[in-house]
Amino acid sequence: MSKLNNKVAVVTGGNSGIGLAVAQEFASQGAKVIITGRNEERLEAAQTENIAGIQADVRNADALAQVFNHVKAEHGGLDILFVNAGIARMGPIEMMTEEVFDEVMNINFKGAYFTIQEALPIMREGGTIILNGSVNALVGFANASVYSASKAAVHSLARTLSPEFADRKIRVNTLNIGPVNTPLYGKLGLPQEAVEQFAGTVMEKLTVKRFGTPEEIAKAAVFLASDDSSFVVGAELATDGGMLINGL
């Protein structure tokens, strides 16, 4: 039985990686899905009968407003919002520039915050908001100060917005995501050798000794989007391969 029949979902950053896998899984469970992204070519390639694409940058308030105006006009309202768009830029604090800081914060946190603000007027009672979080928000990773801070801010939203939206029965939860094989690892701003070394170090910290797949994250997102998680509110669902429980 499809778990998201007759639901309308928006996935930001849905043209690749985790966002695309979540959009595809939502659609397979019966939802009508709208994805956003900056890459027009990838957006076009991702579209199917139940997945429509809208080019939009989450840093642009007008673009976000247009997305949700379109959703309202086409579907009447919104049931599920997966706040996924994000980037990672790594390096020691001495190397971080104000430009990099602003880019990461504007996409990962400010973009998430105002995506929710723009979506809220058209969200139906009983809707659900899922945030793409990270283990970086909870543990210390060298050279990840800006990215980790941006994700910590995102995690805070689930806790603070859940009581704020309680009267409308809108649930807000976070996927606490660990290392996953996605294009993000090729966009860290590090030399390939450093990326491979980082990946090897991380692998040793994973209880399952492998990176996750976007499809595995998508299954968890469906759980949070569906009535199966009706008693889950303001939570952080660990989808991290056991990274946070792996002791010495």
Side-chain angles (χ1 to χ4, degrees), residues 31-81:
K32 293 288 186 182
V33 185
I34 299 90
I35 61 174
T36 72
R38 291 182 287 173
N39 189 305
E40 186 175 5
E41 187 176 335
R42 287 181 180 174
L43 274 173
E44 194 169 313
Q47 293 186 69
T48 67
E49 181 180 353
N50 289 320
I51 300 176
I54 302 176
Q55 189 174 18
D57 187 331
V58 297
R59 293 172 292 185
N60 186 316
D62 290 338
L64 287 173
Q66 290 174 15
V67 169
F68 295 106
N69 286 339
H70 172 84
V71 173
K72 183 178 181 180
E74 291 292 317
H75 303 285
L78 178 65
D79 303 290
I80 302 161
L81 175 63

Side-chain angles (χ1 to χ4, degrees), residues 100-116:
V100 170
F101 183 96
D102 288 345
E103 181 187 29
V104 173
M105 287 296 181
N106 284 342
I107 293 176
N108 292 3
F109 179 56
K110 182 180 178 181
Y113 191 95
F114 287 101
T115 293
I116 294 170

Side-chain angles (χ1 to χ4, degrees), residues 121-145:
I122 69 166
M123 287 208 76
R124 298 186 177 101
E125 183 172 297
T128 182
I129 298 171
I130 305 163
L131 303 172
N132 180 328
S134 172
V135 293
N136 288 71
L138 304 176
V139 297
F141 282 92
N143 302 319
S145 57

Side-chain angles (χ1 to χ4, degrees), residues 18-212:
I18 290 171
L20 178 57
V22 169
Q24 291 170 337
E25 189 64 26
F26 282 177
S28 75
Q29 292 293 330
K32 293 288 186 182
V33 185
I34 299 90
I35 61 174
T36 72
R38 291 182 287 173
N39 189 305
E40 186 175 5
E41 187 176 335
R42 287 181 180 174
L43 274 173
E44 194 169 313
Q47 293 186 69
T48 67
E49 181 180 353
N50 289 320
I51 300 176
I54 302 176
Q55 189 174 18
D57 187 331
V58 297
R59 293 172 292 185
N60 186 316
D62 290 338
L64 287 173
Q66 290 174 15
V67 169
F68 295 106
N69 286 339
H70 172 84
V71 173
K72 183 178 181 180
E74 291 292 317
H75 303 285
L78 178 65
D79 303 290
I80 302 161
L81 175 63
F82 183 49
V83 182
N84 169 73
I87 61 169
R89 297 287 185 267
M90 302 297 182
I93 191 169
E94 297 93 335
M95 301 294 292
M96 290 292 103
T97 65
E98 186 175 359
E99 181 181 14
V100 170
F101 183 96
D102 288 345
E103 181 187 29
V104 173
M105 287 296 181
N106 284 342
I107 293 176
N108 292 3
F109 179 56
K110 182 180 178 181
Y113 191 95
F114 287 101
T115 293
I116 294 170
Q117 186 187 77
E118 290 290 346
L120 195 58
I122 69 166
M123 287 208 76
R124 298 186 177 101
E125 183 172 297
T128 182
I129 298 171
I130 305 163
L131 303 172
N132 180 328
S134 172
V135 293
N136 288 71
L138 304 176
V139 297
F141 282 92
N143 302 319
S145 57
V146 179
Y147 176 72
S148 296
S150 72
K151 285 300 185 178
V154 167
H155 280 232
S156 176
L157 285 179
R159 295 188 292 271
T160 56
L161 294 183
S162 290
E164 192 169 323
F165 299 163
D167 288 347
R168 294 180 55 181
K169 298 180 173 62
I170 294 173
R171 295 182 296 113
V172 188
N173 291 292
T174 305
L175 279 174
N176 186 21
I177 301 172
V180 175
N181 284 317
T182 73
L184 182 69
Y185 278 90
K187 303 175 182 177
L188 295 178
L190 298 173
Q192 183 60 32
E193 182 180 346
V195 172
E196 291 173 1
Q197 182 179 1
F198 173 74
T201 301
V202 169
M203 193 87 72
E204 290 303 310
K205 294 290 186 181
L206 298 172
T207 303
V208 299
K209 302 305 178 188
R210 66 173 177 85
F211 277 35

Side-chain angles (χ1 to χ4, degrees), residues 209-232:
K209 302 305 178 188
R210 66 173 177 85
F211 277 35
T213 68
E215 291 74 22
E216 288 174 309
I217 305 302
K219 297 289 186 183
V222 167
F223 168 70
L224 291 179
S226 73
D227 290 339
D228 288 348
S229 61
S230 57
F231 202 56
V232 181

